[in-house]
Amino acid sequence: MKKIKIILCTFIITASCFAQSDIDKLLKGGEIIVNGLSFIKTNKPKSDSKTIESICIKNKLSDKITFKLTGKDADGNDVKKELVVQKDGKECVFDLPKGVWAYEIDLANKDVYKKGEYKLDDEITITVKED
């Protein structure tokens, strides 16, 4: 208990010797160092991976949309994913096999907004907005 009081008193005395701007600079410097270390620590995706960690869809249209993905896994089985994305919302799907995927974007009134194919080989965020 005595050691904690000594450490606390030392910290308070040291902090009072610095001006407020110096303390702000120290805190900003510490924040930069911590963020830099967390960047180094993050797991980098393996280039030989057969899956994509995540695909995210952002909706910038005036109403909700339904985003449908259809593709095949490594065994040739059909894989279907469907995301309902609210107005100004974002939804993600995880661990998809790499490859060519068909997509369809349906509006709230069930009309098809866009349709096509996309080669997915890395993480991506797709933003759906007015043309």
Side-chain angles (χ1 to χ4, degrees), residues 63 67 81 85:
D63 206 357
F67 193 92
K81 301 290 181 180
V85 187

Side-chain angles (χ1 to χ4, degrees), residues 33-85:
I33 290 171
V34 168
N35 287 339
L37 292 175
S38 66
F39 173 75
I40 292 170
K41 185 182 172 188
T42 58
N43 295 334
K44 295 183 174 119
K46 297 177 183 175
S47 60
D48 61 344
S49 174
K50 291 184 172 42
T51 61
I52 303 164
E53 195 169 314
S54 68
I55 304 296
C56 295
I57 311 301
K58 284 185 181 180
N59 180 12
K60 297 295 182 182
L61 297 177
S62 60
D63 206 357
K64 72 176 183 177
I65 61 170
T66 303
F67 193 92
K68 298 176 184 176
L69 282 169
T70 307
K72 298 208 180 265
D73 64 9
D75 298 328
N77 301 321
D78 287 336
V79 177
K80 294 182 181 182
K81 301 290 181 180
E82 188 171 304
L83 300 167
V84 176
V85 187

Side-chain angles (χ1 to χ4, degrees), residues 3-4 27 30 36 42 47 50-51 55 72-76 81 84 92 98 100 117 120-122 125-126:
K3 290 181 182 180
I4 293 174
L27 290 173
T42 58
S47 60
K50 291 184 172 42
T51 61
I55 304 296
K72 298 208 180 265
D73 64 9
D75 298 328
K81 301 290 181 180
V84 176
C92 299
K98 289 183 179 181
V100 178
E117 290 184 340
L120 299 175
D121 56 2
D122 201 6
T125 298
I126 300 169

